[in-house]
Amino acid sequence: MSSLYELLTERISEARAHRASVLKAPADSAGEVYEREIAAERLAKEIGRLEGAEKGLVFGRIDWTDGTALRIGRIGLHTEEDDLPLLVDWRANAARPFYEATPVHPMDLRRRRHLRLEERTVISVSDELLDGTAPTEEDVVGDGPLTEALSARRTGRMHAAVATLQAEQDAIVRSAHRGVTVVQGGPGTGKTVVALHRAAYVLYAFPRAAEEGVLVVGPNARFLDYISQVLPSLGENDVVLATCRELAGVSTSTVDPFDTARLKGGSDLADALAGLLRVHQAPAGDFTVRVGQEPVHLSGEEVATARDAAVAAAPGHNPARQVLKELLVDAVTDKMQRDMGDLLEQIDADAARMTGMDLDRFTGAAQRRAEGAADSGPVHELDLDAVRADLLDDADVDRAVEVLWPRLVPGDLVKALLTNAGALAEHLPRLTERERSLLLRGPDDPWTDADVPLLDEAASLVDGPPERTYGHVVVDEAQELTAMQWRMIVRRCPARAMTLVGDFAQAGPVATARDWKEALSPHVGPRFKVHHLTVSYRTTQEILESVRDLLTRIAPDQKPTRSLRSGESPRTVTAPPDGLATAVVQELRAQSTAHPGELLGVICADTRVSELTAQGIAHHARVVPASEARGLEFDGVVVMNPEEIATARPGGERDLYVALTRATKRLCTITAQPA
């Protein structure tokens, strides 16, 4: 083990020295400065990757029946002198048997060894014998790392499971599918862990995706904080974690009623914004500008030709406006040139009629042109390039273009739709009058969460595609996304390479899709593959049994997951309606005394959070509104007034199902006594 850490230290030192020399290198031009910065940034990432792998550098070893052995770790390490690597990256093909071998299919392995390190010291060893041979003195057979990980205390942060990925999880992580990979599974099946390890694998296995980066989208900041350490612990720091609000760069503090939010999430709103935009793109009319003392006029047909060419040439209204301006100026100068030619021909014809002389023959200009001689530059010739440059900078020309094709701001486009009953009726004819009235807002109303995808849609229509796109996108709690939010995600992933994680039994009240086909087909067609996780590693069998009837009501077609773990049966405590908070405090004190150091969570209706926080419950446990509990886990969970959660918002029974399945060990529900 010491030799591996010595090699890691050596590689870190080499990378630091290389970066320092790169930064000191002279750069005589802007191009050389840029190249130096790129090289330094690449080396900084490599240093971060190596340093991130130090904790738990090695976690496994596989021994073949022929005596060959490989160590498995967070990164790969090798030297030129050795044929075999000293350490195999867990994502490498050579590491597959560590995850896939079983006693039924040992893959020529005799032993799979699991190691646990603290600092740089091995503190535990556990072996699995796979070929049916008897243990020897060198084998350490125990319960295994999975059992240890499942029984460990929660810390409030998700950790990498690279040492304990199970075969069905590893198969998804290593999938060669380049399109959309969907991970469907019930509570505790490790969906999020699989998705994050899938992101790490993509960065390793698919260089193009690694160059363009990976985006992880989560439902809220609380969830992203919970998963934030997983990828850095796998040596991957070049990953962006964001909510939809952060992607759009919009800050909101207001939420719409659920009926309104559901309407704003529908794809009809995208069509409405696009239709409203077209009203501002030279729908009709001609174009006239003054050049010197003379007006130059373009017909409506000429303007329409320029408009169509501008729309085809540039994505985004404002970039296309500049194209339109250039096309109109080109048309004006072309028309000036034609008019000048026509005028000169008319002058020559009039002179010939009055004098009986051919002026071209008389001056010899025609002969000189035929012989290719330089013309002396008659006064009537135009410098078209100069005229064009002047017109592009002319304020009057810009004002004339503004009438046809005004510059727009994304927020103003959204307001123009949502504050105007006539615009809503014109562009959303399929909605009822009542539905359109729900969308109508005041001009000074603050933006809401449901407005974020509309603003992002408007930004893409007005200014073009987002500045940053990604080679691969991971979406957790993907069942929560509305059609408009899906459009946000797909815009940022041109290759349509995504890993999506979700469970429609846990869907919230705003999303309307009932399955993955309905959610994804409008955006990626048939290019998605659904994987089902069937085993719960976190939630005990007793807790899963307690919510089976609830699951049947909210998702009758969903097959229940089975658990590998057993534990305490869930408990129910009743209290007077005005004593629920007191009962929660008492239960938390009892659990803290009986199980010191464990992570406790209280899940309640959103409207109860302030009350519980005021009671000082945050000193004993984390208070989580039911709407934000998806994806979280605790050693013990107290669910306050489940009936209130179930009725707090549409689809509340799904919120309750989520709340009741967040515990890894103990679940207690505190209900109100009947009046």
Side-chain angles (χ1 to χ4, degrees):
M1 198 64 62
S2 60
S3 62
L4 286 173
Y5 274 106
E6 287 173 4
L7 182 57
L8 177 67
T9 301
E10 180 183 329
R11 294 292 159 78
I12 293 173
S13 298
E14 289 174 353
R16 286 173 176 167
H18 189 186
R19 183 171 184 270
S21 66
V22 166
L23 290 173
K24 290 179 182 178
D28 298 326
S29 67
E32 290 178 350
V33 170
Y34 175 76
E35 290 178 2
R36 183 178 64 186
E37 291 175 351
I38 292 296
E41 182 181 357
R42 178 180 56 79
L43 288 165
K45 290 180 180 178
E46 175 64 9
I47 293 168
R49 185 182 76 88
L50 294 170
E51 291 177 339
E54 183 167 356
K55 185 178 180 181
L57 174 65
V58 188
F59 56 78
R61 171 176 149 167
I62 47 180
D63 293 77
W64 275 271
T65 53
D66 65 2
T68 306
L70 286 178
R71 295 182 181 88
I72 313 299
R74 295 178 184 269
I75 62 172
L77 290 173
H78 67 279
T79 63
E80 295 181 358
E81 295 79 15
D82 296 302
D83 293 332
L84 291 176
L86 295 181
L87 186 64
V88 174
D89 191 301
W90 67 274
R91 296 164 289 192
N93 198 51
R96 277 181 178 270
F98 182 80
Y99 299 100
E100 297 179 4
T102 67
V104 177
H105 301 288
M107 301 176 70
D108 292 328
L109 294 188
R110 176 186 176 272
R111 178 177 67 184
R112 173 167 48 216
R113 168 164 287 182
H114 299 269
L115 306 170
R116 189 157 67 89
L117 278 64
E118 196 168 281
E119 299 297 331
R120 298 188 171 194
T121 303
V122 178
I123 61 172
S124 73
V125 178
S126 177
D127 291 336
E128 297 174 80
L129 302 182
L130 301 169
D131 66 346
T133 58
T136 69
E137 292 182 356
E138 296 182 353
D139 299 320
V140 183
V141 180
D143 289 336
L146 180 60
T147 301
E148 182 180 346
L150 294 177
S151 60
R153 292 173 178 171
R154 305 299 100 177
T155 65
R157 289 283 177 85
M158 179 177 284
H159 297 286
V162 64
T164 57
L165 282 175
Q166 299 304 289
E168 71 169 359
Q169 298 173 324
D170 184 66
I172 300 171
V173 169
R174 296 177 187 274
S175 171
H177 185 58
R178 297 295 186 99
V180 177
T181 297
V182 179
V183 185
Q184 164 76 37
T189 53
K191 300 183 296 295
T192 300
V193 163
V194 169
L196 295 175
H197 285 70
R198 169 71 175 166
Y201 179 79
V202 164
L203 287 167
Y204 174 87
F206 304 141
R208 176 72 179 273
E211 289 176 6
E212 297 176 359
V214 171
L215 168 68
V216 177
V217 180
N220 51 60
R222 186 193 303 269
F223 177 82
L224 291 177
D225 180 66
Y226 172 60
I227 68 170
S228 61
Q229 298 304 311
V230 175
L231 287 165
S233 74
L234 295 172
E236 299 297 350
N237 296 291
D238 192 20
V239 177
V240 175
L241 277 66
T243 63
C244 283
R245 275 188 294 182
E246 290 166 335
L247 284 181
V250 178
S251 177
T252 65
S253 58
T254 307
V255 295
D256 280 309
F258 296 114
D259 287 347
T260 303
R262 195 177 293 113
L263 288 170
K264 287 183 177 180
S267 60
D268 284 351
L269 270 294
D271 296 333
L273 289 170
L276 184 59
L277 184 76
R278 286 192 290 271
V279 173
H280 299 284
Q281 294 182 331
D286 50 12
F287 180 77
T288 301
V289 292
R290 186 172 293 277
V291 181
Q293 301 300 316
E294 298 295 326
V296 180
H297 177 80
L298 299 179
S299 68
E301 184 177 349
E302 290 173 302
V303 171
T305 299
R307 175 198 64 210
D308 295 342
V311 170
H317 174 87
N318 288 340
R321 179 193 185 278
Q322 180 62 30
V323 174
L324 176 75
K325 181 178 178 180
E326 293 172 1
L327 291 173
L328 291 176
V329 167
D330 285 345
V332 166
T333 55
D334 288 346
K335 187 175 183 62
M336 289 174 61
Q337 187 176 30
R338 290 195 305 272
D339 290 348
M340 180 63 73
D342 292 344
L343 177 61
L344 292 176
E345 288 183 5
Q346 184 62 47
I347 291 174
D348 287 347
D350 292 345
R353 187 178 62 254
M354 290 185 294
T355 64
M357 299 175 58
D358 185 339
L359 295 183
D360 275 345
R361 185 183 300 276
F362 181 76
T363 60
Q367 182 64 30
R368 287 196 297 275
R369 283 197 295 272
E371 295 174 351
D375 202 306
S376 60
V379 296
H380 59 256
E381 284 197 356
L382 288 173
D383 185 344
L384 294 177
D385 289 338
V387 172
R388 184 178 187 278
D390 289 343
L391 289 174
L392 287 173
D393 289 336
D394 191 286
D396 289 335
V397 171
D398 196 71
R399 280 191 288 270
V401 173
E402 187 73 10
V403 172
L404 290 171
W405 192 299
R407 294 181 182 88
L408 295 178
V409 175
D412 291 347
L413 182 66
V414 178
K415 285 184 179 180
L417 177 67
L418 299 184
T419 61
N420 188 319
L424 287 170
E426 179 181 354
H427 295 289
L428 290 167
R430 292 196 296 181
L431 298 189
T432 66
E433 186 174 347
R434 177 185 175 277
E435 288 172 330
R436 291 194 291 268
S437 70
L438 292 174
L439 292 173
L440 195 62
R441 52 168 278 156
D444 298 323
D445 289 351
W447 296 119
T448 68
D449 280 355
D451 290 326
V452 170
L454 304 185
L455 292 166
D456 193 72
E457 184 79 23
S460 72
L461 290 170
V462 170
D463 296 322
E467 291 183 5
R468 176 76 192 271
T469 58
Y470 300 86
H472 196 87
V473 173
V474 176
V475 183
D476 209 328
E477 304 299 339
Q479 79 282 346
E480 297 289 285
L481 296 189
T482 66
M484 291 299 292
Q485 288 173 321
W486 278 120
R487 292 176 65 88
M488 286 186 68
I489 303 300
V490 169
R491 264 195 294 276
R492 288 163 174 82
C493 190
R496 306 294 191 267
M498 297 184 279
T499 300
L500 312 176
V501 176
D503 176 13
F504 276 93
Q506 302 181 46
V510 175
T512 57
R514 292 160 294 183
D515 55 34
W516 294 113
K517 182 178 181 180
E518 187 176 340
L520 297 176
S521 293
H523 311 288
V524 300
R527 292 184 63 245
F528 64 93
K529 185 175 182 180
V530 180
H531 298 263
H532 293 272
L533 294 175
T534 59
V535 178
S536 177
Y537 303 96
R538 179 195 71 208
T539 312
T540 65
Q541 189 62 37
E542 289 77 7
I543 292 176
L544 290 179
E545 287 292 340
S546 73
V547 298
R548 192 172 296 277
D549 290 344
L550 178 58
L551 176 62
T552 301
R553 288 201 304 273
I554 61 178
D557 297 329
Q558 185 162 313
K559 183 179 179 180
T561 55
R562 59 183 179 87
S563 178
L564 292 182
R565 303 176 59 230
S566 293
E568 300 178 18
S569 296
R571 296 182 300 109
T572 300
V573 174
T574 59
D578 59 354
L580 290 172
T582 301
V584 170
V585 172
Q586 292 173 348
E587 175 64 25
L588 291 174
R589 286 174 175 167
Q591 289 204 28
S592 297
T593 300
H595 309 283
E598 292 193 342
L599 183 66
L600 303 178
V602 175
I603 303 177
C604 59
D606 291 28
T607 54
R608 292 276 192 169
V609 171
S610 298
E611 174 190 347
L612 294 182
T613 302
Q615 292 278 341
I617 286 178
H619 295 297
H620 305 282
R622 299 191 180 186
V623 180
V624 181
S627 66
E628 295 186 13
R630 288 165 174 79
L632 304 182
E633 63 179 39
F634 304 90
D635 293 304
V637 169
V638 177
V639 177
M640 175 179 168
N641 203 350
E643 289 187 3
E644 187 175 39
I645 293 174
T647 58
R649 62 180 193 165
E653 283 194 321
R654 296 176 185 272
D655 291 341
L656 179 58
Y657 176 71
V658 172
L660 294 173
T661 54
R662 297 304 95 196
T664 65
K665 297 179 181 178
R666 286 171 300 282
L667 171 65
C668 176
T669 57
I670 297 182
T671 63
Q673 293 173 348

